[in-house]
Amino acid sequence: MKKRMAGVLAVLLGMSLLLCSCRIQEDMASDNGQKTKVSSEEIKRQAWLQMIQPAAYSNAEGLNLEKGAYISVIGKGESGPFWNTVEKGAEAAKEDLNRILGYTGKEKIKVTYSGSGTENNVEEQINILDEEIARYPIAVGIAIADVKAGTVQFDMAAENDIPIIAFDSGNSYEGLMSMVATDNEGAAGEAAAHMAEELPEGGSILVFASDFRAESLLLREKGFQTAAAEYPNLPVAGVYYLNRLEEQKEGMIQEIENGTYEKPEGVEKTEEGVQPDSISQEMTMDYLLKKNPEAKGCFIMDGSAVPAVLEAMERTDTDLSVIGFDVTKRNLQELEAGKIKGLIVQNPFGMGYATVIAAARAYLGLGNEAEVNTGYTWVTKKNLKEKSVQQILY
């Protein structure tokens, strides 16, 4: 029932965004009385901001920061569709602050975005965090790549009265001022409900993600497992993280040596046995699909893991109902081709924007909500071309 209600709310949200965009385009007029069209970027911006709850984090009113204040925003990656859109949201919040406060030139509030060159590079992210704290920003927003990392740096920030805002993915550090993110458990739970719709006759489900260290993905795993348990005919056969596939090699090697799994071409076998170093990630992915021939569905918990899973499906001629996360060019292509049945689309613009607002509030001592929900949308081939959906794609 809860999952059904979430679907209804998503539809209502889409309708409200569509009506809002129509009003924006139709009602705004120029000084000479002629109607003017608002740019598609402005329509997108309004759609993204309206997804943020509480609404106080969707605008920069009442945040009287001093001239030249500096806020640092650190993502898990330097670039890519998701992180580029986070940066765009952070920049929009900065522009709104400067416009409202009337700051120009050197007086302007400064917001910088940075991230590791390779997504989820924990060591590089920590080095960036060290460098940013040394610059004494008024606050730092960070998408924490590893739930176990950053404690020393967060303590140092606290000693220097630099509040830390987590966004996208956090950890259990008690000093975090706010968490700005998707409702990851709820979104993954909705994915399970849609999987049940895709597989009315049931079947086991495989779950894949890129990085076991990210809290956001651990929450999605929890949300999916909890919701899937409501459907006895949809057992989760396995949960696999791409940066933990080494653990799967042992079983693969044992089966090769027992003769129950055919040795892939290129795998070396000496007198000592199968050599682990000769087994690639692609071989391991193929093994996981082949050892689960009864699987009917696949939930891919982040966009980074989608290519590896789909390519393994092609190599092994495996047919699964796939539900994924996030917007990438490939994800949308596979959605239109029918290889992906649906996508949970997050709101990275809203994350960037609300993170800067939360950072400003923390510095000014205005208090913050423990959790700021930036929203998500269920996207399928059927609704992909609808205006309300096109407005939230990034």
Side-chain angles (χ1 to χ4, degrees), residues 17-27 43 387 391:
L17 294 178
L18 176 59
L19 291 172
C20 174
S21 68
C22 291
R23 286 196 299 269
I24 291 172
Q25 292 186 52
E26 293 173 1
D27 293 346
I43 292 172
K387 287 184 178 180
Q391 288 165 12

Side-chain angles (χ1 to χ4, degrees), residues 238-394:
V239 179
Y240 305 108
Y241 287 87
L242 302 191
N243 63 342
R244 217 172 191 169
L245 290 184
E246 290 290 324
E247 298 176 2
Q248 305 302 322
K249 284 187 181 182
E250 185 176 341
M252 182 178 174
I253 290 170
Q254 190 65 52
E255 290 198 37
I256 292 173
E257 294 181 341
N258 291 342
T260 56
Y261 186 76
E262 184 178 352
K263 181 174 75 69
E265 184 178 347
V267 171
E268 296 179 17
K269 189 174 183 181
T270 66
E271 292 181 357
E272 289 76 28
V274 175
Q275 300 302 299
D277 289 346
S278 68
I279 299 176
S280 67
Q281 176 176 295
E282 288 76 15
M283 294 175 186
T284 309
M285 290 290 294
D286 295 352
Y287 165 72
L288 293 176
L289 294 182
K290 288 179 179 179
K291 75 176 254 184
N292 290 287
E294 77 292 346
K296 300 296 182 184
C298 179
F299 177 42
I300 309 177
M301 297 193 291
D302 64 312
S304 299
V306 169
V309 177
L310 293 183
E311 287 161 15
M313 287 172 57
E314 290 178 9
R315 288 192 301 269
T316 59
D317 195 25
T318 301
D319 183 21
L320 299 172
S321 290
V322 175
I323 289 177
F325 236 90
D326 295 328
V327 173
T328 65
K329 183 177 180 180
R330 177 161 188 177
N331 277 4
L332 294 179
Q333 289 174 339
E334 303 292 7
L335 185 70
E336 290 194 276
K339 294 182 180 179
I340 292 178
K341 301 301 183 183
L343 292 170
I344 300 289
V345 176
Q346 301 184 87
N347 179 14
F349 183 95
M351 284 187 200
Y353 193 101
T355 296
V356 171
I357 300 304
R361 292 177 64 89
Y363 173 72
L364 294 170
L366 298 178
N368 271 309
E369 295 290 331
E371 296 182 0
V372 178
N373 187 342
T374 50
Y376 65 87
T377 305
W378 171 245
V379 178
T380 65
K381 182 178 180 179
K382 185 176 180 179
N383 71 4
L384 179 60
K385 300 302 182 182
E386 294 177 7
K387 287 184 178 180
S388 59
V389 170
Q390 286 295 308
Q391 288 165 12
I392 56 87
L393 297 181
Y394 50 90

Side-chain angles (χ1 to χ4, degrees), residues 4-281:
R4 294 286 184 184
M5 182 60 70
V8 171
L9 290 174
V11 171
L12 292 175
L13 173 60
M15 292 175 64
S16 69
L17 294 178
L18 176 59
L19 291 172
C20 174
S21 68
C22 291
R23 286 196 299 269
I24 291 172
Q25 292 186 52
E26 293 173 1
D27 293 346
M28 291 192 66
S30 60
D31 290 338
N32 62 10
Q34 294 180 330
K35 289 190 174 182
T36 59
K37 271 193 175 181
V38 176
S39 71
S40 60
E41 283 301 308
E42 179 60 23
I43 292 172
K44 280 182 174 288
R45 169 193 162 100
Q46 292 302 321
W48 285 324
L49 292 180
Q50 286 182 15
M51 294 172 72
I52 301 171
Q53 294 296 327
Y57 293 84
S58 65
N59 67 83
E61 298 290 342
L63 301 175
N64 298 314
L65 295 176
E66 65 262 28
K67 298 173 182 177
Y70 171 48
I71 296 172
S72 174
V73 178
I74 304 171
K76 294 180 190 172
E78 182 179 24
S79 60
F82 187 92
W83 302 111
N84 289 343
T85 310
V86 168
E87 180 177 10
K88 187 184 295 184
E91 284 288 312
K94 177 195 72 175
E95 291 168 4
D96 283 355
L97 284 166
N98 284 318
R99 174 180 52 79
I100 291 169
L101 295 172
Y103 294 160
T104 60
K106 293 182 179 180
E107 296 179 344
K108 284 186 174 182
I109 293 162
K110 182 180 179 183
V111 175
T112 64
Y113 175 88
S114 51
S116 54
T118 303
E119 189 172 347
N120 298 320
N121 185 323
V122 177
E123 183 178 356
E124 186 177 355
Q125 187 187 60
I126 291 300
N127 289 338
I128 292 171
L129 179 57
D130 278 326
E131 293 170 359
E132 289 301 304
I133 290 174
R135 294 189 174 99
Y136 294 99
I138 65 167
V140 172
I142 181 169
I144 303 171
D146 186 341
V147 290
K148 297 181 180 179
T151 300
V152 172
Q153 287 73 24
F154 296 155
D155 284 342
M156 186 183 305
E159 290 171 6
N160 288 281
D161 296 322
I162 301 172
I164 301 291
I165 305 296
F167 74 93
D168 176 64
S169 193
N171 66 11
S172 59
Y173 185 78
E174 292 184 358
L176 297 178
M177 302 299 290
S178 188
M179 180 69 218
V180 179
T182 304
D183 174 7
N184 286 297
E185 287 189 62
E190 182 162 340
H194 288 298
M195 186 70 78
E197 294 172 355
E198 285 292 330
L199 301 172
E201 296 181 3
S204 62
I205 310 299
L206 301 178
V207 178
F208 288 92
S210 63
D211 197 324
F212 71 93
R213 298 167 299 179
E215 183 193 53
S216 57
L217 297 180
L218 296 174
L219 289 172
R220 289 173 202 171
E221 178 189 341
K222 179 182 177 182
F224 190 85
Q225 293 264 32
T226 300
E230 298 179 13
Y231 306 95
N233 63 343
L234 290 177
V236 175
V239 179
Y240 305 108
Y241 287 87
L242 302 191
N243 63 342
R244 217 172 191 169
L245 290 184
E246 290 290 324
E247 298 176 2
Q248 305 302 322
K249 284 187 181 182
E250 185 176 341
M252 182 178 174
I253 290 170
Q254 190 65 52
E255 290 198 37
I256 292 173
E257 294 181 341
N258 291 342
T260 56
Y261 186 76
E262 184 178 352
K263 181 174 75 69
E265 184 178 347
V267 171
E268 296 179 17
K269 189 174 183 181
T270 66
E271 292 181 357
E272 289 76 28
V274 175
Q275 300 302 299
D277 289 346
S278 68
I279 299 176
S280 67
Q281 176 176 295

